[in-house]
């Protein structure tokens, strides 16, 4: 069944009313009729099956039939912080990492980022990123749409990191030297509901100065196996590993 996210929390209502884009998608694209069903997700991550009661010229009215009791979210809240990469790589990261369970995205301007962030043009790009996350969350039947932060400076990223219980930075020099324990050790210590911040450099990697500052801010460097991964591949690798360790191994 199709899945739609509302912009409000559940407040004990027995029915929902969908308008605008969601109305158009239900009525014009999917051509649903009275009695058809779909999923609704509220902002407090409560999801339910709804059945269409009425379709007017402006809205779809649907009754809440059944609640979804199985959590679709990772046990930990993972934020992916990527140094701004070239082209549409960040769009790829957002789409696929949302499917894999990322909770938030915090792109940042790294020393070796080739892309320059334009505040004036950036709003449209950020809106596009958020739409990509929404569509990926619908497709993968998530109960949460990841928030996409406006790209920040490295200094702002360090300030943001203070609210996280676990902080890791993927560092290719560690991978080259065969380091393979820090990531596993971190996953063995994390508890359900805690927040984890994972940092990845842009195409040229993080500078030694950036890594030094991250370590001083409480980050742990880690390798991701013996192979050097691309900037768009590394976040997906870590999320898959987190899912395996915290979901499939239980």
């Amino acid at each position: 069944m199709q899945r739609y996210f509302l912009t409000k929390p559940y407040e004990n209502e027995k029915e929902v009313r969908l308008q605008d884009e969601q109305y158009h998608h239900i009525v014009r694209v999917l051509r649903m009729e009275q009695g058809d069903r779909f999923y609704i997700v509220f902002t407090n991550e409560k999801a339910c099956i709804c059945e269409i009661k009425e379709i007017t010229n402006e809205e779809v009215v649907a009754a809440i039939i059944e609640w979804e009791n199985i959590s679709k979210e990772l046990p930990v809240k993972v934020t992916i912080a990527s140094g701004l990469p070239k082209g549409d790589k960040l769009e790829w990261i957002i789409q696929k990492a949302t499917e894999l369970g990322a909770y938030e995205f915090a792109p940042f301007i790294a020393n070796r980022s080739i892309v320059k962030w334009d505040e004036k043009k950036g709003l449209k790009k950020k809106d596009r990123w958020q739409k990509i996350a929404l569509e990926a969350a619908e497709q993968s039947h998530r109960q949460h749409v990841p928030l996409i932060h406006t790209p920040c400076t490295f200094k702002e990223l360090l300030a943001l990191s203070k609210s996280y219980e676990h902080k890791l930075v993927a560092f290719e020099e560690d991978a080259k030297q065969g380091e393979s324990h820090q990531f596993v050790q971190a996953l063995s210590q994390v508890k359900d509901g805690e927040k984890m911040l994972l940092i990845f450099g842009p195409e040229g990697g993080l500078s030694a100065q950036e890594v030094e500052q991250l370590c001083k801010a409480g980050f742990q460097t880690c390798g991701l196996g013996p192979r050097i991964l691309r900037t768009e591949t590394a976040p997906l690798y870590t999320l898959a590993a987190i899912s395996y360790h915290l979901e499939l191994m239980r």
Side-chain angles (χ1 to χ4, degrees):
M1 285 185 284
Q2 181 65 35
R3 202 171 187 88
Y4 298 101
F5 285 83
L6 299 186
T7 57
K8 62 182 289 296
Y10 176 66
E11 297 175 340
N12 298 315
E13 55 263 60
K14 292 183 171 26
E15 64 180 26
V16 297
R17 295 173 180 269
L18 304 182
Q19 302 160 344
D20 302 324
E21 286 188 17
Q22 293 171 337
Y23 171 88
H24 174 78
H25 192 262
I26 291 171
V27 178
R28 309 298 182 203
V29 179
L30 297 183
R31 299 186 181 278
M32 290 190 190
E33 300 176 345
Q34 185 176 349
D36 287 339
R37 296 184 174 189
F38 52 81
Y39 280 99
I40 281 294
V41 186
F42 295 87
T43 54
N44 48 359
E45 299 184 11
K46 290 183 177 293
C48 60
I49 296 174
C50 292
E51 183 177 292
I52 296 176
K53 293 170 52 180
E54 181 184 6
I55 299 176
T56 71
N57 290 331
E58 297 181 348
E59 66 180 7
V60 173
V61 182
I64 295 175
I65 302 299
E66 180 183 344
W67 289 98
E68 186 175 61
N69 296 317
I70 300 174
S71 175
K72 304 293 182 67
E73 300 302 312
L74 285 175
V76 295
K77 297 178 179 180
V78 180
T79 296
I80 300 296
S82 297
L84 280 178
K86 296 184 293 184
D88 60 358
K89 291 180 181 178
L90 188 57
E91 293 183 3
W92 169 267
I93 292 170
I94 290 170
Q95 183 187 61
K96 301 308 176 188
T98 295
E99 293 177 24
L100 288 167
Y103 195 80
E104 288 185 5
F105 294 89
F108 67 97
I109 304 163
N111 286 341
R112 294 174 180 168
S113 288
I114 297 174
V115 175
K116 303 302 179 185
W117 180 250
D118 187 325
E119 291 289 347
K120 293 182 180 179
K121 298 179 181 178
L123 288 177
K124 287 185 178 179
K125 186 170 288 189
K126 183 173 177 290
D127 287 343
R128 174 170 169 75
W129 293 340
Q130 194 65 65
K131 186 175 182 181
I132 289 171
L134 171 62
E135 291 174 351
E138 290 175 345
Q139 184 276 323
S140 55
H141 276 225
R142 294 280 303 272
Q143 292 155 338
H144 169 80
V145 179
L147 171 66
I148 317 295
H149 292 270
T150 300
C152 63
T153 65
F154 189 74
K155 183 178 180 180
E156 290 170 334
L157 180 65
L158 292 177
L160 176 69
S161 72
K162 294 179 181 179
S163 64
Y164 288 81
E165 290 92 354
H166 304 275
K167 300 183 286 188
L168 295 172
V169 51
F171 189 39
E172 65 179 29
E173 293 304 319
D174 281 1
K176 289 177 183 177
Q177 295 171 19
E179 192 286 312
S180 60
H181 301 292
Q182 295 298 343
F183 185 39
V184 175
Q185 184 176 349
L187 293 183
S188 67
Q189 295 173 347
V190 70
K191 298 177 182 177
D192 288 2
E194 290 185 331
K195 295 169 63 179
M196 177 179 285
L197 177 58
L198 303 176
I199 292 188
F200 306 89
E203 288 85 355
L206 295 167
S207 68
Q209 181 184 17
E210 287 172 324
V211 173
E212 182 180 357
Q213 287 181 273
L214 288 168
C215 290
K216 287 181 179 179
F219 281 82
Q220 175 66 59
T221 63
C222 65
L224 301 177
R227 294 162 293 281
I228 304 301
L229 304 178
R230 292 177 182 267
T231 185
E232 67 269 32
T233 308
L236 310 186
Y237 175 97
T238 57
L239 286 166
I242 290 170
S243 174
Y244 177 77
H245 189 88
L246 299 180
E247 293 180 316
L248 299 187
M249 286 288 288
R250 291 184 173 179

